[in-house]
């Protein structure tokens, strides 16, 4: 560990002395590549002001909310048309015929909503796959940075437990979560077409339990990686202090100077660690934020559509839209689960050992 | 003021049909059919702005499934009118068949929706 820190000394010192533009050229190629690939560097992030954030948020909202708002307008038009039509038919002579018209309007509502939902599913799957591929290349790089910072325990934890958990979470989301979501959407459609009460209730219960399960998994993962990080950090701190003490007391005359220089080197390396760790957070957030905003927008649209359908007396369409809103809620939960797993673990290892 | 015309026609038809039923029940049914057709035509004229509004809604949504919903509503409306006539004439069996035919016609009109639903379910589960 000490050898690693010593080996990184000239590079880190050079990085610290150079201006920010040319400074990253002194980093190892892999580290430099990771920092360059990020959509935003830690320095840019730190320099951003509130108007900059608001401007970026406005751009994202413009891009992400245009289609949901159009869908809401279409939904309102369709529901209003169905309400006008149903009000012309009397339900005293043939309630079954009127129920059939309600089914037809619910089917039209589902078909209107299914295309954006399929696109959203594909976008979520694509974001998870892209993040998985990035994590596979990022983890060894960040583990080497952690090792150079003297956090060997943290590096082992990151390249072992975190890497396995992140890959497992990504694979589970892609291979189990998304097919499960598609099945839930199909069940919601079948419930709307059949008019039975059982399927929507079952779908709502499954959605509730899935959210509960995801919350539990995120909490357990957070607790485990938090505890393990703290323990690993304690061991790393002891090793570092012992090393410094041995250097300071074991080598005559220049021992203290070397020990102090090593402290400076480690401080510089921690800056690099922050930059590299921030790169992953920036990549993950930039991959998932547009999908998250769209999910939130669609959830709001479906909730508003449910209100409109209930107000217009289209009961089946209302139940269908409530089911779709629940399904999009699971989209949001899955997305937040994955983002929290990756960002929390990385942030924890960036923050630990900075004291 | 179409509503006054419709109400007046309804009242005249009511008296006429009541008188006709005493002398010739067969003619009464035919007269009721003619009155219903006239009233539907008048109602359609009165509902022209509503149809224009529905067309505007259809254009706003830009969805190809609007046509199926409109067809289903129109079929249900016509089937219910004929069903009411049959029930008034005491032909409950015929009224039941009219309802069945109406349901079949609504299902037929919604067939593109069911096909699209099947395709979507296959895309979701496939």
């Amino acid at each position: 560990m000490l050898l690693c820190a010593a080996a990184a000394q000239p590079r880190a010192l050079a990085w610290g002395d150079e201006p920010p533009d040319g400074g990253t050229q002194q980093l190892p190629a892999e580290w430099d590549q990771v920092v360059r690939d990020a959509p935003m560097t830690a320095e840019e992030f730190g320099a951003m002001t509130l108007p900059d954030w608001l401007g970026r948020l406005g751009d994202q909202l413009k891009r992400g909310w245009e289609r949901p708002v159009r869908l809401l307008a279409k939904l309102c038009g369709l529901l209003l048309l169905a309400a006008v039509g149903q009000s012309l038919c009397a339900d005293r002579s043939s309630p079954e015929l009127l129920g059939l018209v309600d089914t037809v309007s619910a089917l039209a509502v589902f078909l209107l909503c299914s295309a954006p939902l399929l696109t959203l599913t594909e976008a979520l799957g694509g974001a998870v796959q892209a993040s998985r591929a990035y994590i596979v290349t990022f983890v060894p790089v960040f583990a080497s940075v952690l090792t150079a910072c003297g956090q060997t325990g943290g590096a082992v934890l990151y390249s072992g437990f975190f890497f396995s958990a992140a890959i497992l979470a990504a694979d589970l989301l892609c291979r189990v979560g998304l097919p499960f979501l598609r099945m839930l959407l199909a069940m919601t459609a079948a419930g709307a077409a059949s008019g039975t009460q059982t399927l929507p209730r079952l779908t709502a219960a499954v959605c509730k339990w899935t959210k509960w399960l995801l919350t539990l998994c995120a909490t357990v993962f957070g607790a485990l990686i938090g505890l393990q990080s703290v323990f690993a950090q304690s061991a790393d701190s002891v090793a570092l202090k012992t090393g410094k003490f041995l250097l300071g007391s074991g080598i005559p005359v220049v021992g203290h100077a070397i020990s102090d220089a090593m402290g400076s080197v480690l401080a510089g390396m921690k800056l690099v660690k922050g930059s590299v760790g921030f790169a992953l957070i920036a990549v993950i957030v930039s991959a998932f934020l547009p999908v998250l905003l769209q999910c939130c927008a669609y959830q709001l649209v479906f909730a508003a559509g449910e209100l409109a359908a209930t107000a217009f007396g289209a009961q089946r369409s209302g139940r269908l839209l409530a089911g779709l809103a629940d399904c999009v809620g699971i989209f949001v939960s899955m997305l937040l689960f994955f983002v929290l797993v990756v960002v929390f673990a990385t942030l924890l290892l960036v923050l630990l050992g900075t004291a | 003021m179409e509503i006054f015309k419709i109400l007046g026609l309804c009242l005249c038809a009511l008296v006429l049909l009541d008188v006709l039923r005493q002398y010739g029940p067969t003619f009464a049914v035919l007269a009721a059919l003619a009155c219903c057709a006239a009233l539907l035509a008048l109602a359609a004229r009165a509902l022209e702005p509503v149809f224009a509004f529905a067309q505007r809604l259809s254009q706003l949504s830009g969805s190809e499934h609007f046509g199926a919903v409109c067809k289903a509503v129109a079929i249900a409306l016509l089937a219910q009118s004929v069903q009411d006539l049959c029930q008034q004439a005491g032909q409950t069996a015929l009224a039941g068949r009219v309802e069945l035919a109406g349901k079949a016609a609504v299902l037929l009109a919604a067939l593109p929706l069911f096909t699209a639903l099947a395709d979507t379910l296959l895309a979701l589960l496939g």
Side-chain angles (χ1 to χ4, degrees):
Chain A
M1 180 180 61
L2 290 170
L3 284 174
C4 286
Q9 180 178 6
R11 290 174 181 173
L13 283 175
W15 186 80
D17 293 340
E18 289 284 325
D21 289 340
T24 52
Q25 288 171 3
Q26 303 297 324
L27 291 173
E30 295 88 5
W31 301 6
D32 188 36
Q33 190 63 40
V34 163
V35 175
R36 280 179 193 279
D37 284 348
M40 182 190 276
T41 61
E43 288 79 23
E44 286 169 353
F45 178 79
M48 279 186 76
T49 58
L50 185 64
D52 295 337
W53 282 117
L54 290 177
R56 285 204 172 208
L57 189 66
D59 288 344
Q60 287 290 341
L61 287 179
K62 261 186 204 169
R63 265 181 272 162
W65 284 58
E66 192 183 343
R67 283 183 186 174
V69 170
R70 275 188 194 172
L71 178 69
L72 182 62
K74 286 181 182 182
L75 266 180
C76 285
L78 183 60
L79 289 170
L80 198 55
L81 182 72
V84 168
Q86 283 179 22
S87 68
L88 291 175
C89 305
D91 63 346
R92 60 181 161 68
S93 55
S94 175
E96 288 93 359
L97 204 55
L98 200 62
L100 205 55
V101 173
D102 197 14
T103 305
V104 170
S105 53
L107 278 183
V109 165
F110 176 74
L111 290 172
L112 197 63
C113 301
S114 63
L117 282 175
L118 279 172
T119 314
L120 208 59
T121 315
E122 281 165 15
L124 181 61
V128 173
Q129 287 286 3
S131 304
R132 184 190 186 279
Y134 187 77
I135 286 168
V136 168
T137 55
F138 176 83
V139 166
V141 175
F142 193 60
S144 68
V145 176
L146 286 173
T147 309
C149 287
Q151 289 179 266
T152 43
V156 170
L157 181 66
Y158 199 76
S159 55
F161 180 66
F162 165 76
F163 183 68
S164 311
I167 296 299
L168 181 71
D171 285 347
L172 275 179
L173 283 186
C174 286
R175 291 182 189 169
V176 180
L178 290 180
F180 175 72
L181 258 178
R182 290 198 181 105
M183 194 192 71
L184 272 183
L185 284 173
M187 274 170 66
T188 310
S194 67
T196 175
Q197 297 274 358
T198 319
L199 270 178
R201 276 186 201 158
L202 182 68
T203 314
V206 168
C207 288
K208 192 178 156 190
W209 280 100
T210 310
K211 282 180 193 171
W212 186 85
L213 189 68
L214 283 172
T215 312
L216 180 75
C217 286
T219 312
V220 168
F221 173 80
L224 279 178
I225 200 148
L227 279 174
Q228 287 200 343
S229 301
V230 169
F231 291 147
Q233 183 53 37
S234 305
D236 290 341
S237 297
V238 169
L240 261 180
K241 281 178 183 169
T242 311
K244 275 187 178 180
F245 172 74
L246 286 176
L247 269 177
S249 58
I251 301 174
V253 187
V254 290
H256 280 290
I258 293 174
S259 177
D260 291 344
M262 202 184 81
S264 307
V265 169
L266 285 177
M269 290 307 297
K270 278 163 192 168
L271 275 177
V272 179
K273 181 181 74 171
S275 298
V276 175
F278 181 79
L280 175 71
I281 295 171
V283 166
I284 294 290
V285 169
S286 70
F288 283 96
L289 189 65
V291 188
L292 181 68
L293 282 176
Q294 278 203 345
C295 285
C296 292
Y298 279 118
Q299 199 173 12
L300 276 177
V301 163
F302 293 142
E306 184 202 350
L307 283 178
T310 313
F312 292 146
Q315 300 301 329
R316 283 192 191 184
S317 301
R319 283 200 297 270
L320 170 73
L321 287 166
L324 292 180
D326 279 345
C327 289
V328 179
I330 296 191
F331 270 88
V332 174
S333 300
M334 284 181 170
L335 215 146
L336 285 179
F337 168 73
F338 187 73
V339 171
L340 281 178
V341 162
V342 176
V343 170
F344 177 71
T346 309
L347 206 58
L348 199 66
L349 284 165
V350 168
L351 291 177
L352 280 177
T354 49
Chain B
M1 295 294 105
E2 287 284 327
I3 186 68
F4 292 115
K5 281 185 196 172
I6 293 171
L7 292 178
L9 185 66
C10 277
L11 287 174
C12 293
L14 185 70
V15 175
L16 180 72
L17 289 174
D18 204 30
V19 173
L20 262 179
R21 195 174 289 127
Q22 291 173 15
Y23 296 104
T26 318
F27 291 110
V29 172
L30 284 175
L33 186 64
C35 287
C36 280
L39 281 170
L40 266 179
L42 276 175
R45 262 180 61 189
L47 283 173
E48 260 175 14
V50 178
F51 293 144
F53 174 62
Q55 205 173 3
R56 208 174 146 197
L57 280 181
S58 168
Q59 283 167 355
L60 170 80
S61 78
S63 169
E64 66 270 24
H65 308 304
F66 261 58
V69 178
C70 290
K71 272 184 200 170
V73 168
I75 290 165
L77 196 63
L78 286 174
Q80 281 190 347
S81 301
V82 177
Q83 195 185 357
D84 284 344
L85 267 176
C86 292
Q87 274 174 349
Q88 198 195 355
Q91 300 291 335
T92 47
L94 197 60
R97 299 297 80 74
V98 168
E99 188 184 350
L100 184 67
K103 282 180 188 171
V106 169
L107 281 178
L108 196 66
L111 200 59
L113 292 187
F114 282 106
T115 313
L117 176 72
D119 289 343
T120 310
L121 288 182
L122 280 176
L124 282 171
L125 299 173

